[in-house]
Amino acid sequence: MDSNVEALLRGDLDLICTTIEFPRHPTLKSERLLEVGNVVIASTSHPLADRGTLTPKDLHAYSWATFSNDELARARLGAYFAASELDLPRIGFETNDLEILFAMLARSDYLASVPALVLDDARARGLAQLRIKGSFWSIGLGYAHVRTAHLPSALSSFIAILRAHILTLKPVQPRVLDA
């Protein structure tokens, strides 16, 4: 995220469509378009996959796979476990590629937290959503660009199309699986 914001500020990017969970900057305009809940996933053969509702202590016993340098996710993961007086679980694998994350999870006992938006893709790759006690976090998704008095028409058109498309989506919250 930091590198995308820096590229936007340098003028290397015109617009970013991403999580809007970065510090506000006076020269950037951003708009949150969608709130997406995160879910916990693992291989369908994972020891926790067929258990009932899992506690933070159950989840803490396993190593996690995360996205590289995703400090926001680590902070939220840490907060989830801290609420149960547990330290951040061991991070055993990091990547910046969702396909690599899915492949690693399918072949290991790692756990991961991903936006509910990718849950169908995860299931297609042999992964399952775990039932957890409580809820993980949600993230705001949207766009950001450098503030300007006159936004180029291509960007204005793209933003209008993006907003219209978001309105056609069903709210993307994780299914409540805990009893």
Side-chain angles (χ1 to χ4, degrees):
M1 172 50 54
D2 292 340
S3 61
N4 285 337
V5 171
E6 289 171 14
L8 194 59
L9 290 168
R10 280 193 314 267
D12 295 340
L13 296 174
D14 295 322
L15 179 102
I16 56 174
C17 296
T18 186
T19 178
I20 301 298
E21 308 290 330
F22 55 87
R24 297 293 169 235
H25 192 282
T27 62
L28 295 182
K29 178 183 180 344
S30 62
E31 181 180 4
R32 179 184 305 256
L33 298 173
L34 184 66
E35 193 74 20
V36 178
N38 269 43
V39 296
V40 178
I41 60 172
S43 168
T44 54
S45 63
H46 193 284
L48 297 178
D50 291 326
R51 293 203 19 213
T53 302
L54 302 167
T55 66
K57 187 175 179 181
D58 297 325
L59 300 172
H60 194 270
Y62 290 89
S63 293
W64 285 69
T66 64
F67 291 106
S68 303
N69 303 314
D70 190 346
E71 296 308 317
L72 176 65
R74 280 184 191 240
R76 292 196 175 171
L77 186 64
Y80 175 80
F81 287 102
S84 296
E85 299 181 359
L86 296 167
D87 294 330
L88 180 70
R90 183 171 136 6
I91 306 299
F93 180 77
E94 293 183 349
T95 182
N96 280 325
D97 188 296
L98 187 61
E99 294 301 321
I100 291 172
L101 178 71
F102 286 167
M104 179 57 89
L105 290 173
R107 293 172 179 82
S108 71
D109 282 345
Y110 287 122
L111 302 176
S113 175
V114 296
L117 279 172
V118 301
L119 196 50
D120 288 342
D121 291 337
R123 286 186 179 122
R125 287 164 180 80
L127 303 174
Q129 178 183 356
L130 301 183
R131 301 171 195 266
I132 64 169
K133 181 175 182 157
S135 62
F136 251 51
W137 63 88
S138 63
I139 56 173
L141 300 178
Y143 69 88
H145 60 80
V146 173
R147 285 185 193 278
T148 180
H150 302 287
L151 197 61
S153 62
L155 283 183
S156 294
S157 296
F158 179 81
I159 291 168
I161 292 167
L162 184 61
R163 283 183 185 133
H165 177 69
I166 295 296
L167 290 174
T168 68
L169 299 176
K170 295 182 271 183
V172 183
Q173 290 296 323
R175 294 182 321 197
V176 177
L177 295 178
D178 54 351

